[in-house]
Amino acid sequence: MSKRTKWDTKGDLDESKNLPIYQHKATLQQAVKDNSFLVVTGETGSGKTTQLPQYLHQAGFWGNGKIGITQPRRVAAITVAQRVSQEMHCSLGREVGYQVRFDDCTTQDTVVKYMTDGCLLREILADPVLSQYSVVILDEAHERSLNTDILLGLLKQTLSSPDKASKGRSVPLKVVVMSATLETDKLSVFLGGCPVFTIPGRTFPVTSKFSCAIGPKDTESSVYVKEVVKVALDVHTSEMAGDILVFLTGQSEIEKACDMLYEKAESIDYRYDVQDHKVEGLLILPLYGSMPTDQQKQIFQPPPPGIRKCVVATNIAATSLTINGVKYIVDSGFVKQLNHNSRVGMDILEVVPISKSEALQRAGRAGRTSAGKCFRIYSPAFWEKCMPEYTVPEIQRTSLTAVILTLKCLGVHDVIKFPYLDRPEERFILEALKQLYQCDAIDRRGKVTRLGELMVEFPLPPGLTRALLQAASLGCEDLLLPVAAMLSVENIFIRPGHPEKQKEADKKHRQLGVQAGSCNDFTMLLSVFEKCKASDAPSAWCKDNYIHWRALKSAFSVETQLREILLRLQKRDFPMEKFNGNKSELFRRCLCTGYFTNVARRSVGKVFCTMDGHGSMVHIHPSSTLFDQEAQLDWVIFHDLLVTSRIYIRTVCPIRYDWVKDLLPKLHEVDVYELSSVAREEVTDEEVAKWVTKEAAKRQTGGSAEDV
Ligand code: ADP
Ligand code: MG
């Protein structure tokens, strides 16, 4: 028997008393009272995230303000808030609530608030001393997410200056930083030598086995998906009872693996094929970020007697969420990560080998309640040659544009001297300043402009925000708001696995494109949004057109929220302009204002060349409405890139050179040292000279618009 249906068992909420943290409740409550900063560390699953906020609630901290807990991942914030509201016997959104980007589930009554680190950063913008909070807990600090790192620096700065810290507050803010064992000394030193509270935990030995399936050269997803499925089935048939946790990279790989597992598990004969005769079935459950939360709940429930649970998850199951009962790990050795790609000069999600410390953390998930086994599908050579020792913190590998703007708006003008736990390379900071200057968010001296102050209010990438504000100033925000919303939710187009169905879906999508009139991928998004909104039966309309109804529903809600932000800003001193031209041109020209950094021109055949100085050769992605029409195109802008063996541009729109002619020189004529006036004082003349020569050389070879 294999199952993937729902069933109901109520979790035993009293089990919280058995968690390692329970013994230390009183000491922890006291430690938070006694210190401004406290670092708390303990094995994953010891009860930090779910219990500590409740202990602080019981100790009465909520009387002085909310208890806020940040998470780097939105799913973790939502799932944990749900769990804690159950444990505290209240409905979600009352005493216990959560807030993540575009989804606020809190009320006036909320005193224990789980949220993403990005949300707290936005709150600091409006209220720098966080006057509504008594305690702020930065959870999962070891993950070293960009926003948590920035929050650490900001809170350190605020609390270490007594004037700033007490302004607007009746009692001082308490800050707790939680981390799974790693780097606690470093955190404590960074926070002025604050105490470290260690929750002792017991772990059991985990034996790890390498295999030779994945060597240093295998990065095709089909290889590792097939291999984890094979290994998971081997474990199921040959190992004693105990649940399996498979680590994969992302939604589509996970869904593929679950389908394959399901199909193969069907044909297992439990009389002959399976060693442990107490095992009579396999329950297959996916776990990834954008999954509906009611489905996520299932992964925590113990399987029915005789059934082995097999959870196929992203890295979220490594530390953010703990699944009880896991005895076997199948580790693909890969993770999907946002990295700055120097080849194309942009951040892209890519599949990369995990670090050795990450691999140890994954393996550790098998040893929480008894000895466990970890099956690595990669070879010792892969471990040695391809896996770094530690994961590089996000701040050192992604674009800093949005956070630098936030810092500047918070009055941190000197973004180079800011207290970073790990300093990003200066060139990344300079790059961010350059981008902010290019989209008019800061001026030549690095000061935030009026436009920059408006831009920081939107939880969107700077280019998209710039385009949206341009549209608003021309009175045509109704064209851009839906597009911005559609680009902020998961992919709305369904691509069925079955080839026949896929053909039908492609046909429907093409029809939608034709109906959209002057067709490009942005108008396509707009048209789908409007059509569905106008429909009497929107969910049926979506089903019929192979569109994700759930994603569209979120897009509707996101659009409303963006509109509210805009309306609020329009009450301020909002710039207005006039435009004489047709609507299609107006729409595309607004896009150009934000996306002129993403301009490409067709060179030969189907190949385009980007104009940002990197001069990358790119292709239009097959999912684009413009795919196969390349011959008719000349200049285009695009929303993002996908790098495989080729570089693809996605969400594409044809433009006229005239519209970007005046903007393109901005890509090349920036003096980054002027933007960062502080940096300028610190660099030697020699370094400046080097930089200038390099920029000049780039200008000559990099192919600016005027050259072609
Ligand atoms: P830590 O933060 O120290 O890693 P957690 O507080 O996340 O630990 O987890 C403590 C326990 O609570 C674990 O045994 C975990 O399985 C359980 N737990 C957490 N969330 C849920 C949930 N939504 N449903 C059931 N059990 C949960
Ligand atoms: Mg936790």
Side-chain angles (χ1 to χ4, degrees), residues 44 73 140 142-144 182 247-248 314-320 329 331-337 352-365 374 376 378 383 387-392 397:
T44 307
R73 300 161 197 268
E140 307 271 323
H142 60 272
E143 281 240 354
R144 304 298 311 278
L182 283 167
F247 282 104
L248 258 184
T314 60
N315 228 23
I316 191 165
T319 60
S320 299
I329 299 294
D331 180 9
S332 67
F334 289 98
V335 68
K336 207 170 256 180
Q337 204 175 61
V352 294
I354 54 170
S355 64
K356 294 186 179 112
S357 68
E358 188 61 54
L360 295 175
Q361 173 67 26
R362 285 183 175 185
R365 306 298 79 229
C374 170
R376 296 179 170 143
Y378 42 90
W383 169 278
M387 293 167 58
E389 292 302 316
Y390 297 100
T391 311
V392 176
R397 59 178 159 82

Side-chain angles (χ1 to χ4, degrees), residues 37 156 187-195:
F37 278 114
K156 172 189 162 119
L187 278 169
S188 158
V189 171
F190 180 74
L191 298 172
C194 75

Side-chain angles (χ1 to χ4, degrees), residues 68 102 406 678:
F102 298 127
T406 307
V678 183

Side-chain angles (χ1 to χ4, degrees), residues 588-659:
R588 287 185 290 160
R589 287 186 86 149
C590 290
L591 289 173
C592 285
T593 318
Y595 284 103
F596 71 94
T597 48
N598 297 1
V599 170
R601 188 191 189 184
R602 193 164 66 89
S603 55
V604 281
K606 295 185 164 193
V607 187
F608 289 75
C609 178
T610 63
M611 288 294 141
D612 56 358
H614 287 268
S616 316
M617 292 301 169
V618 298
H619 288 79
I620 291 185
H621 193 259
S623 66
S624 168
T625 49
L626 298 166
F627 182 68
D628 263 349
Q629 298 174 37
E630 289 86 345
Q632 297 152 37
L633 302 172
D634 190 7
W635 292 82
V636 294
I637 51 158
F638 55 93
H639 174 68
D640 69 355
L641 290 164
L642 180 76
V643 179
T644 59
S645 49
R646 274 185 177 176
I647 308 174
Y648 289 105
I649 53 178
R650 291 190 297 194
T651 318
V652 184
C653 175
I655 55 153
R656 289 223 302 268
Y657 170 59
D658 264 3
W659 303 341

Side-chain angles (χ1 to χ4, degrees), residues 69-82 92 97-106 110 113-123 133 147 289-291 293 296 316 459 488 554 557-558 561 565:
I69 311 95
T70 66
Q71 297 288 323
R73 300 161 197 268
R74 60 190 268 133
V75 197
I78 300 172
T79 319
V80 175
Q82 271 168 344
L92 187 62
Y98 69 83
Q99 186 182 8
V100 298
R101 190 173 79 133
F102 298 127
D103 184 5
D104 184 359
C105 181
T106 62
T110 304
K113 175 169 168 181
Y114 287 88
M115 63 186 123
T116 49
D117 44 14
C119 278
L120 189 67
L121 201 53
R122 307 212 134 259
E123 285 194 30
Y133 292 84
N147 290 330
S290 57
M291 228 169 89
T293 32
Q296 272 161 18
I316 191 165
S488 303
S554 336
S557 147
V558 171
Q561 295 178 49
I565 299 176

Side-chain angles (χ1 to χ4, degrees), residues 19 43-50 79 83 300 319 322 324 368:
L19 291 171
E43 272 292 326
T44 307
S46 54
K48 300 182 296 297
T49 308
T50 53
T79 319
R83 167 70 175 184
F300 289 106
T319 60
T322 299
N324 294 330
R368 282 192 61 230

Side-chain angles (χ1 to χ4, degrees), residues 499-639:
E500 276 306 307
K501 291 251 173 213
Q502 191 157 320
K503 260 194 208 152
E504 197 185 315
D506 286 345
K507 201 171 132 206
K508 290 273 186 188
H509 294 160
R510 260 198 310 277
Q511 278 169 2
L512 284 173
V514 173
Q515 289 164 14
S518 68
C519 203
N520 65 65
D521 296 319
F522 291 90
T523 42
M524 173 83 163
L525 291 175
L526 177 63
S527 161
V528 170
F529 184 97
E530 287 176 339
K531 280 221 166 57
C532 181
K533 193 135 210 194
S535 158
D536 294 330
S539 80
W541 183 89
C542 284
K543 200 165 167 212
D544 192 41
N545 286 294
Y546 289 90
I547 300 285
H548 273 293
W549 168 229
R550 192 160 49 88
L552 250 162
K553 252 196 320 196
S554 336
F556 291 158
S557 147
V558 171
E559 197 251 2
T560 313
Q561 295 178 49
L562 292 174
R563 192 178 287 276
E564 279 164 10
I565 299 176
L566 186 63
L567 280 174
R568 185 158 51 78
L569 298 181
Q570 281 172 331
K571 289 190 189 126
R572 290 195 210 165
D573 181 18
F574 198 84
M576 291 304 281
E577 289 174 44
K578 275 215 160 15
F579 177 80
N580 306 315
N582 70 34
K583 201 166 154 183
S584 155
E585 180 179 335
L586 177 63
F587 180 58
R588 287 185 290 160
R589 287 186 86 149
C590 290
L591 289 173
C592 285
T593 318
Y595 284 103
F596 71 94
T597 48
N598 297 1
V599 170
R601 188 191 189 184
R602 193 164 66 89
S603 55
V604 281
K606 295 185 164 193
V607 187
F608 289 75
C609 178
T610 63
M611 288 294 141
D612 56 358
H614 287 268
S616 316
M617 292 301 169
V618 298
H619 288 79
I620 291 185
H621 193 259
S623 66
S624 168
T625 49
L626 298 166
F627 182 68
D628 263 349
Q629 298 174 37
E630 289 86 345
Q632 297 152 37
L633 302 172
D634 190 7
W635 292 82
V636 294
I637 51 158
F638 55 93
H639 174 68

